[in-house]
Amino acid sequence: MNAAARLAAFAIGLALIFAGAAFAGSRIDVHPGRQNATRDREPAMGEMRADAGMAPQAVRGLAVSDNGLTLRLARTTATPGQPFQLAFRIVDRRGQTLRDFDVEHTKRMHFIVVRRDMTGFQHLHPTQGPDGSWTVAVTLRDAGSYRVFADFSVDGKPHTLADDLTADGTVRSRELPAPVASADVDGLRVSLTEGASRAGAESRLAFDVTRDGKPVAVEQYLGAKGHLVALRQGDLAFLHVHPDESSLRFMAEFPTAGRYRLFLQFKTDGRVHTVAFTQEVSR
């Protein structure tokens, strides 16, 4: 092959290489300063996707249906002060009753009831029947609109579905209490020693229990030293809180600035106590 032919063949080879590289680049979507789309991590709570304009990891408990599962209450009204049996089911996309649930915090179903002004908090544990339905005794002490949360896990994935119950009558709503450092319950003083700092960051929540100024040992409750439910003022969004097994310490992420109500439950001398705190979260 003469020099001119060799030069022409080399030029054709270079052209083929550059064409192949351009095609591959268009297929894997690589751009300077941006990760490969197929390798992007899932943003943490409070972060924003640049291409979505909204937080992808939302708080739970804002809807009656989520991820193909739906909470179906047998009734949505009640008489204030009168106990009643509330039946409900968790159904899939086909309307079939779900029967298998994971054990979380020693229970297969946690049922939270709270009035819209965040009073009347109840943490209940329903009983499941042979047909897969759940039943729990509920008393709505005062008139008003109540939010109920079915908190459970299926195949290792947590779910919190919510709906409303109405207790007819004259409603006397209460203002959310101002934040305080300590609160008294059943002869005990509970102090919030560490609280949330800012939205979108992991926060440590720590509580101490004393009686007459002396520390009180707390017993195991639901597989840990305590249980904490955090609700956001306004929409009552339900936050997932991770407990510490050996102390009244919890880790949580508050997705937005604002006020939250913390409902702490712990056990002493075989009795479960419930105390609430208002938590301010900054931006």
Side-chain angles (χ1 to χ4, degrees), residues 190-243:
V190 182
S191 299
L192 177 59
T193 58
E194 293 184 64
S197 55
R198 60 188 180 85
E202 190 173 50
S203 299
R204 181 176 176 178
L205 305 170
F207 302 86
D208 287 339
V209 180
T210 59
R211 180 186 287 115
D212 299 326
K214 299 179 181 179
V216 175
V218 296
E219 303 166 9
Q220 288 291 108
Y221 175 61
L222 299 177
K225 290 298 183 180
H227 190 275
L228 185 69
V229 170
L231 300 175
R232 185 168 60 190
Q233 185 182 28
D235 60 3
L236 270 63
F238 188 102
L239 274 68
H240 188 62
V241 180
H242 301 279

Side-chain angles (χ1 to χ4, degrees), residues 45-108:
M45 182 179 289
E47 290 184 344
M48 305 287 280
R49 276 193 188 273
D51 59 347
M54 62 182 294
Q57 187 177 355
V59 289
R60 290 149 40 187
L62 293 177
V64 70
S65 297
D66 185 50
N67 291 321
L69 300 180
T70 299
L71 168 63
R72 286 189 180 173
L73 300 177
R75 60 185 293 179
T76 57
T77 60
T79 301
Q82 291 189 8
F84 66 98
Q85 292 291 321
L86 178 62
F88 66 92
R89 297 172 183 267
I90 306 299
V91 301
D92 61 18
R93 286 188 175 90
R94 299 172 299 169
Q96 300 296 312
T97 299
L98 203 65
R99 296 171 182 267
D100 297 325
F101 299 82
D102 303 330
V103 174
E104 271 203 330
H105 306 301
T106 74
K107 303 292 182 181
R108 297 171 68 236

Side-chain angles (χ1 to χ4, degrees), residues 56-268:
Q57 187 177 355
V59 289
R60 290 149 40 187
L62 293 177
V64 70
S65 297
D66 185 50
N67 291 321
L69 300 180
T70 299
L71 168 63
R72 286 189 180 173
L73 300 177
R75 60 185 293 179
T76 57
T77 60
T79 301
Q82 291 189 8
F84 66 98
Q85 292 291 321
L86 178 62
F88 66 92
R89 297 172 183 267
I90 306 299
V91 301
D92 61 18
R93 286 188 175 90
R94 299 172 299 169
Q96 300 296 312
T97 299
L98 203 65
R99 296 171 182 267
D100 297 325
F101 299 82
D102 303 330
V103 174
E104 271 203 330
H105 306 301
T106 74
K107 303 292 182 181
R108 297 171 68 236
M109 178 68 68
H110 297 265
F111 198 75
I112 307 299
V113 181
V114 64
R115 202 167 73 158
R116 281 284 181 177
D117 61 357
M118 290 199 279
T119 62
F121 175 86
Q122 300 174 63
H123 179 181
L124 308 171
H125 299 115
T127 300
Q128 190 177 29
D131 63 350
S133 65
W134 296 87
T135 305
V136 62
V138 179
T139 301
L140 305 182
R141 187 185 65 182
D142 301 313
S145 177
Y146 288 77
R147 194 71 170 162
V148 298
F149 302 89
D151 188 45
F152 58 93
S153 174
V154 177
D155 294 332
K157 184 174 183 179
H159 301 267
T160 305
L161 306 178
D163 204 350
D164 290 322
L165 283 176
T166 302
D168 293 332
T170 302
V171 180
R172 295 179 176 85
S173 296
R174 303 176 191 175
E175 294 291 331
L176 190 68
V180 295
S182 61
D184 296 328
V185 58
D186 304 327
L188 302 169
R189 170 150 292 191
V190 182
S191 299
L192 177 59
T193 58
E194 293 184 64
S197 55
R198 60 188 180 85
E202 190 173 50
S203 299
R204 181 176 176 178
L205 305 170
F207 302 86
D208 287 339
V209 180
T210 59
R211 180 186 287 115
D212 299 326
K214 299 179 181 179
V216 175
V218 296
E219 303 166 9
Q220 288 291 108
Y221 175 61
L222 299 177
K225 290 298 183 180
H227 190 275
L228 185 69
V229 170
L231 300 175
R232 185 168 60 190
Q233 185 182 28
D235 60 3
L236 270 63
F238 188 102
L239 274 68
H240 188 62
V241 180
H242 301 279
D244 184 275
E245 292 185 2
S246 58
S247 63
L248 283 176
R249 305 293 185 267
F250 304 85
M251 299 305 295
E253 289 187 39
F254 294 82
T256 60
R259 283 188 166 189
Y260 294 78
R261 194 66 166 160
L262 310 179
F263 296 95
L264 172 69
Q265 293 187 295
F266 61 95
K267 182 187 288 188
T268 64

